[in-house]
Amino acid sequence: MSSNRPESDTADSTVPSNEHWSSVSKHVVNSYLEANNALLAAMGLSPSSDRHTGTLTARHSPETAEAPITELAFGDESWLMERSVDDYDDLDVGEYVRFTKTIDDTDVSAFAHISGDTNQLHLVESFAEQTQFGGRIAHGTLVAGTISAALARFPGLTIYLSQDLEFRAPVEVGTAVTATCEIVEELGETRYRLHTSVETDEAVTVIDGEAIVVIKSPPEH
């Protein structure tokens, strides 16, 4: 398996070096900004595009994918989003959102720092090489976080009620993943049941599950 572990980490290290932690401090701040970005997206900020057109995701064509949505504050130019509907009033069964990003080394390091999950499987290559995975993999809950990012990009204000997850395969550090959330049932009172999944750029399903959410009309600005 490939690894993006910095050369400064020695083979007998049990935790990332202080220098390595310092290198991700900016990324930690960006993680908080990403949460703000998700909130703005949930409030209905979106590109002006025709229904069911959206933006190509890296899962389908990383070489020719269009630029990400410029209207979303604190966005990353490498993130991609595709959604089937832009207006809240058009939400219905079959509508979906896809969100694509690469789970890179700084994501893994920042998540370990923020969550406290410093399992060596995710952080220390020499340790991870001795496991069944043959190298470092991303935290499962970090990968699952892309589902939340996709949900936030439905038009309106999306609120999680529940999420069931099945982890089917590991994700190597440096892998691009695409989370897809599709409405499969209207439950009434702005509640919806969705099929949620995450795939790698090689179309391998790594997470499968189901979510119950509330999607309210966007607040008036």
Side-chain angles (χ1 to χ4, degrees):
M1 289 188 178
S2 62
S3 169
N4 292 334
R5 183 167 177 77
E7 295 179 359
S8 60
D9 289 338
T10 59
D12 60 351
S13 174
T14 58
V15 294
S17 66
N18 291 334
E19 181 178 331
H20 182 64
W21 282 119
S22 297
S23 71
V24 302
S25 60
K26 181 178 179 181
H27 189 82
V28 171
V29 174
N30 287 338
S31 297
Y32 294 115
L33 295 181
E34 180 178 344
N36 190 33
N37 172 39
L39 176 60
L40 292 175
M43 292 172 63
L45 296 177
S46 64
S48 56
S49 59
D50 294 335
R51 179 181 172 85
H52 297 291
T53 55
T55 303
L56 286 175
T57 65
R59 178 169 62 101
H60 300 297
S61 180
E63 300 84 8
T64 59
E66 298 175 12
I69 299 171
T70 57
E71 288 87 345
L72 298 182
F74 307 118
D76 187 302
E77 64 180 9
S78 66
W79 299 347
L80 298 173
M81 189 272 280
E82 174 190 346
R83 67 183 181 186
S84 61
V85 62
D86 288 330
D87 296 322
Y88 173 80
D89 292 337
D90 292 331
L91 283 176
D92 201 353
V93 172
E95 306 301 349
Y96 67 88
V97 173
R98 294 191 179 104
F99 174 78
T100 299
K101 81 177 299 291
T102 297
I103 307 297
D104 59 25
D105 188 67
T106 51
D107 291 321
V108 173
S109 296
F111 185 82
H113 182 72
I114 292 170
S115 68
D117 182 353
T118 56
N119 188 329
Q120 296 182 65
L121 175 62
H122 310 303
L123 301 172
V124 182
E125 185 64 32
S126 60
F127 176 89
E129 286 176 348
Q130 306 305 313
T131 70
Q132 67 193 72
F133 303 105
R136 291 192 306 136
I137 62 173
H139 304 72
T141 46
L142 168 60
V143 179
T146 59
I147 295 175
S148 181
L151 287 173
R153 285 161 172 78
F154 273 106
L157 175 62
T158 304
I159 303 170
Y160 248 134
L161 295 182
S162 67
Q163 174 75 65
D164 294 326
L165 296 174
E166 177 185 352
F167 295 94
R168 293 188 173 183
V171 173
E172 296 181 27
V173 178
T175 300
V177 297
T178 295
T180 301
C181 299
E182 180 179 351
I183 298 175
V184 296
E185 183 180 3
E186 291 189 50
L187 301 176
E189 298 181 349
T190 69
R191 295 168 65 244
Y192 299 88
R193 183 169 63 88
L194 300 95
H195 175 239
T196 58
S197 64
V198 181
E199 293 184 358
T200 68
D201 50 2
E202 296 180 348
V204 175
T205 299
V206 295
I207 297 178
D208 194 36
E210 179 179 286
I212 305 296
V213 302
V214 168
I215 308 180
K216 295 184 176 182
S217 58
E220 294 184 2
H221 301 295

